[in-house]
Amino acid sequence: MEKYSLKTGLREQTILKDVYFTPPFNLVEVRENKKNPLLEMMVMSSSPGILNDDFYDINIEVIDGSSLNLQTQSYQRIYISVKGTNQNMAISVGESAYFSHVPHPVVPHKGARYTAKNTINIKSSSTLLWGEILTCGRKYMGEGELFQFKKHHAITEIYQEDVLIFKDNLYIVPEEINLKEFGQYEEFTHQGSLFFITPQTDVIERMEKIVNRLSKEDGISYGISKVLDNAYVLRILGNEGEQLYKLFTQIRREEDYLINQSVKLN
């Protein structure tokens, strides 16, 4: 089992209090200005990707009043896996705390089997931005690599004060369904989802800003839904992982900036 965990702390701003990791992981602080209240961490790996029978166990604790952005180093590749690969991620976001995570796209290679479970617990005063992007595989290896993975099953559950407020169950077995059909991927090869919730704020203005931006983008299809007065979920279909990652990262950076300003004012 490969694992990493981190816990934030508070001094004059958010600091890294506890960290633990096993090979191939390494966690590095990438916050350039140490006076910024937002702690920025990057997960690095010496492995080329998730290999057969790997199990990644990840634990993140963002304590009350702290703020954390967790970044990834590169695309997450999932290699051919007869026994399968697994990832379990548990996240806790405390009172008046902030957590953002928009990882690079997942690239399942031909023959890959992948199962992931993400469990996120937040408080009513927490702010959370969570993104995921799945590609069709190694697209530029030719038609032989398009949707040639065996299985991709990713479940994300978000609980607020122990009540389930959002669940995403992404289950794709290309051999069992024609992903080019109407209502599936159709002409697209990549999909992304982004969930955002913030306390005591109507998200309509944020949603309108996102729609205005995405309406100017070529080569995508998207939809955004208000799931609570203070929460939305955005879904995008496209043909380039980098395009979707860039769009999600722009949204994430804006929220990171707003939380920075809010903490400084307080």
Side-chain angles (χ1 to χ4, degrees):
M1 179 184 293
E2 300 82 11
K3 61 175 64 180
Y4 70 83
S5 62
L6 70 86
K7 180 180 181 180
T8 61
L10 276 174
R11 204 165 286 165
E12 293 181 356
Q13 66 277 327
T14 302
I15 61 171
L16 180 62
K17 183 178 181 180
D18 295 313
V19 63
Y20 173 81
F21 53 85
T22 63
F25 294 118
N26 188 14
L27 276 78
V28 179
E29 182 174 344
V30 293
R31 176 172 52 185
E32 295 182 1
N33 183 351
K34 301 302 181 183
K35 294 183 179 180
N36 278 347
L38 176 69
L39 174 63
E40 296 177 279
M41 298 292 299
M42 178 175 287
V43 181
M44 307 180 75
S45 176
S46 59
S47 172
I50 304 181
L51 308 175
N52 184 46
D53 210 24
D54 276 354
F55 187 98
Y56 286 1
D57 185 45
I58 303 164
N59 287 274
I60 308 293
E61 182 179 355
V62 186
I63 69 165
D64 296 353
S66 65
S67 52
L68 171 68
N69 164 241
L70 182 64
Q71 304 173 24
T72 53
Q73 182 184 16
S74 61
Y75 282 53
Q76 180 171 273
R77 298 185 178 277
I78 306 171
Y79 288 88
I80 183 171
S81 38
V82 177
K83 294 183 178 179
T85 57
N86 294 270
Q87 177 173 296
N88 186 71
M89 194 169 190
I91 299 165
S92 173
V93 186
E95 297 280 359
S96 302
Y98 172 80
F99 178 63
S100 64
H101 184 48
V102 177
H104 283 78
V106 174
V107 183
H109 287 212
K110 185 175 182 179
R113 303 174 190 269
Y114 178 70
T115 302
K117 178 70 181 292
N118 306 302
T119 306
I120 306 171
N121 286 280
I122 66 174
K123 301 296 185 180
S124 58
S125 59
S126 306
T127 298
L128 170 71
L129 188 145
W130 173 270
E132 295 177 278
I133 300 171
L134 175 65
T135 75
C136 60
R138 293 186 296 177
K139 181 177 179 180
Y140 296 107
M141 290 294 290
E143 289 294 331
E145 287 276 356
L146 288 176
F147 296 111
Q148 291 299 305
F149 53 91
K150 291 295 184 181
K151 184 184 78 169
H152 183 94
H153 191 191
I155 299 174
T156 298
E157 295 179 341
I158 301 175
Y159 294 86
Q160 185 181 63
E161 306 289 357
D162 298 321
V163 176
L164 181 66
I165 60 170
F166 178 76
K167 181 173 182 177
D168 191 20
N169 188 355
L170 179 60
Y171 181 79
I172 300 177
V173 180
E175 292 178 349
E176 296 179 358
I177 189 170
N178 181 4
L179 292 167
K180 297 294 184 180
E181 286 183 345
F182 179 75
Q184 299 297 326
Y185 276 63
E186 299 180 21
E187 73 269 26
F188 299 105
T189 55
H190 297 57
Q191 75 146 303
S193 62
L194 187 73
F195 177 88
F196 177 77
I197 186 169
T198 192
Q200 300 178 341
T201 303
D202 193 310
V203 293
I204 286 294
E205 185 175 337
R206 279 176 165 88
M207 292 169 63
E208 290 175 346
K209 188 175 182 180
I210 291 170
V211 168
N212 183 57
R213 173 182 295 160
L214 296 182
S215 66
K216 300 172 185 177
E217 283 285 326
D218 295 327
I220 65 169
S221 179
Y222 64 91
I224 186 167
S225 301
K226 186 177 182 180
V227 293
L228 296 168
D229 286 343
N230 61 330
Y232 69 76
V233 61
L234 168 66
R235 298 192 187 278
I236 304 181
L237 289 172
N239 290 299
E240 297 291 339
E242 196 62 29
Q243 181 186 27
L244 271 57
Y245 179 69
K246 181 179 178 181
L247 291 171
F248 282 2
T249 299
Q250 288 172 347
I251 297 171
R252 189 268 296 171
R253 285 175 176 165
E254 288 176 3
E255 296 301 337
D256 287 354
Y257 174 79
L258 289 173
I259 201 70
N260 258 334
Q261 295 304 110
S262 174
V263 172
K264 286 178 181 178
L265 289 174
N266 292 333

